[in-house]
Amino acid sequence: KNEVEQSPQNLTAQEGEFITINCSYSVGISALHWLQQHPGGGIVSLFMLSSGKKKHGRLIATINIQEKHSSLHITASHPRDSAVYICAATGNQFYFGTGTSLTVIP
Amino acid sequence: EAQVTQNPRYLITVTGKKLTVTCSQNMNHEYMSWYRQDPGLGLRQIYYSMNVEVTDKGDVPEGYKVSRKEKRNFPLILESPSPNQTSLYFCASSLNRGNGYTFGSGTRLTVV
């Protein structure tokens, strides 16, 4: 069993749609990270959360500590949002989800 | 520009030939770490360092060594590479473990 589970694994959306990617974790954590990996391979850190909600442009990340669940939302999705989104939890170790591959079609 | 610099970007080598992948950050970050990424397995942590001269094993340390003699540098050493170490490697740094991370551009290593 993975300590961090993401869903869905793959997601295809039409441009403009509202997108949600979910992350559940089973271990105690100090922080939850959302990462973005573009087809070229580079990784960018989008958010680091320990509670509540954060917003950056069209991206919103939330975390519910009691339910051990986090979501990444993308509003008004655009083809340039196409990437793999990875959830990662920092506890005693660094635990990674296997990623959600998002394709936004024009 | 604040960044994590990894070199080389691409490397093809032969089994058993020692190699080093360098990682350098210019943000005075205390925490640095190495990851490998494999299809179907995602990212896995190899080693991390909380500060100079402080290193510890991650999930998959076998076959790797690291050192942290200076704050800015955290090289990954493969003393005797094997084909199962063919992977995409990332270095990352953070002010401390609970903060946001800056990733290097990645090193695609092929061991034949």
Side-chain angles (χ1 to χ4, degrees):
Chain A
K1 183 185 182 300
N2 293 329
E3 290 83 0
V4 175
E5 301 273 1
Q6 275 184 249
S7 63
Q9 276 193 306
N10 297 285
L11 182 56
T12 301
Q14 288 291 134
E15 183 173 356
E17 283 187 11
F18 180 85
I19 288 162
T20 296
I21 299 170
N22 295 300
C23 175
S24 295
Y25 54 92
S26 59
V27 293
I29 67 168
S30 56
L32 190 289
H33 304 258
W34 282 101
L35 311 174
Q36 180 191 56
Q37 185 171 28
H38 276 286
I43 297 176
V44 173
S45 178
L46 297 174
F47 294 104
M48 191 275 295
L49 293 160
S50 53
S51 65
K53 176 178 170 178
K54 286 191 176 179
K55 185 175 189 291
H56 185 249
R58 295 179 294 105
L59 301 178
I60 303 166
T62 63
I63 188 168
N64 184 318
I65 301 293
Q66 286 74 29
E67 294 185 5
K68 294 190 174 180
H69 182 269
S70 176
S71 294
L72 177 68
H73 306 286
I74 304 175
T75 62
S77 59
H78 190 276
R80 65 175 174 267
D81 296 325
S82 297
V84 174
Y85 293 84
I86 302 167
C87 170
T90 308
N92 291 330
Q93 292 179 287
F94 216 124
Y95 305 97
F96 291 94
T98 51
T100 294
S101 179
L102 170 66
T103 303
V104 181
I105 300 170
Chain B
E1 181 190 350
Q3 60 186 358
V4 175
T5 303
Q6 267 182 254
N7 280 297
R9 289 294 306 274
Y10 302 92
L11 178 60
I12 300 174
T13 190
V14 296
T15 299
K17 185 176 181 182
K18 180 179 178 180
L19 67 92
T20 300
V21 184
T22 63
C23 174
S24 179
Q25 51 93 5
N26 62 0
M27 296 164 282
N28 203 36
H29 283 171
E30 291 188 349
Y31 186 87
M32 297 185 74
S33 51
W34 277 103
Y35 308 89
R36 61 179 288 174
Q37 186 177 38
D38 302 289
L41 297 175
L43 283 158
R44 293 177 292 170
Q45 191 175 50
I46 303 171
Y47 267 97
Y48 64 94
S49 170
M50 304 284 276
N51 213 327
V52 175
E53 301 291 4
V54 181
T55 63
D56 212 343
K57 297 176 181 178
D59 292 327
V60 288
E62 295 79 18
Y64 304 95
K65 283 175 57 176
V66 292
S67 68
R68 188 90 182 273
K69 293 183 169 58
E70 311 162 276
K71 201 169 190 177
R72 63 184 294 126
N73 295 323
F74 191 44
L76 180 70
I77 303 156
L78 285 72
E79 294 271 3
S80 183
S82 63
N84 65 13
Q85 292 178 297
T86 292
S87 188
L88 178 59
Y89 291 86
F90 289 98
C91 177
S93 75
S94 174
L95 192 61
N96 57 55
R97 193 175 193 169
N99 279 71
Y101 286 73
T102 302
F103 283 81
S105 303
T107 296
R108 189 167 292 280
L109 171 66
T110 302
V111 183
V112 299

